[in-house]
Amino acid sequence: MIKLYDTNVDVLVVRKSDYQNDNIGDGYFVVPKDEWLCEDDGLKSFHLFLTKLDENRVSLFLTSEGNPVIFRELPLSRRSDYIEI
C-alpha cells in the first residue's frame, strides 16, 4: 500500500472489527498523529479524515480548498475501536 500523505504527521487507521472480519473496503481513515498519540484525559477527541483509494494508493480526500474532509470526531476512549495500519 502506497501512502500518499505525510506519514510524519498522520497515521492510517481502520476499525478493528472491519480488519478482523476482513471487511475493510473503503474503511481506511487518516488521523493526525498528535491526536492519535495524546493521552486520554476524558476531554480530548480525535478526528477521522476521509481517504480515497486508487488501486494500491491511499491519500487524503480533500475539499476544493485543499483541506482534508473530516468524517467524524470521536472521544479518545473510542481509539480502542481502531488499529493503526
Side-chain angles (χ1 to χ4, degrees), residues 10-11 13 29-36 44-50 68-76 79:
D10 300 310
V11 295
V13 301
F29 302 98
V30 169
V31 177
K33 191 176 273 188
D34 60 338
E35 293 179 11
W36 185 251
K44 294 190 174 140
S45 60
F46 69 101
H47 294 86
L48 294 173
F49 295 139
L50 281 179
V69 175
I70 297 174
F71 173 71
R72 183 175 285 168
E73 181 178 356
L74 296 171
L76 288 180
R79 270 190 311 206

Side-chain angles (χ1 to χ4, degrees), residues 3-83:
K3 299 174 181 176
L4 300 176
Y5 54 89
D6 189 346
T7 57
N8 293 316
V9 177
D10 300 310
V11 295
L12 184 65
V13 301
V14 65
R15 285 185 194 96
K16 280 184 185 177
S17 59
D18 290 343
Y19 185 77
Q20 292 166 343
N21 295 323
D22 203 21
N23 186 30
I24 296 173
D26 291 334
Y28 293 103
F29 302 98
V30 169
V31 177
K33 191 176 273 188
D34 60 338
E35 293 179 11
W36 185 251
L37 298 176
C38 73
E39 299 230 2
D40 186 356
D41 63 4
L43 300 173
K44 294 190 174 140
S45 60
F46 69 101
H47 294 86
L48 294 173
F49 295 139
L50 281 179
T51 61
K52 61 181 179 179
L53 302 174
D54 183 20
E55 294 182 18
N56 204 22
R57 299 168 187 237
V58 178
S59 59
L60 285 167
F61 190 86
L62 302 176
T63 65
S64 58
E65 293 83 27
N67 300 315
V69 175
I70 297 174
F71 173 71
R72 183 175 285 168
E73 181 178 356
L74 296 171
L76 288 180
S77 61
R78 295 279 309 273
R79 270 190 311 206
S80 61
D81 296 342
Y82 294 84
I83 57 172

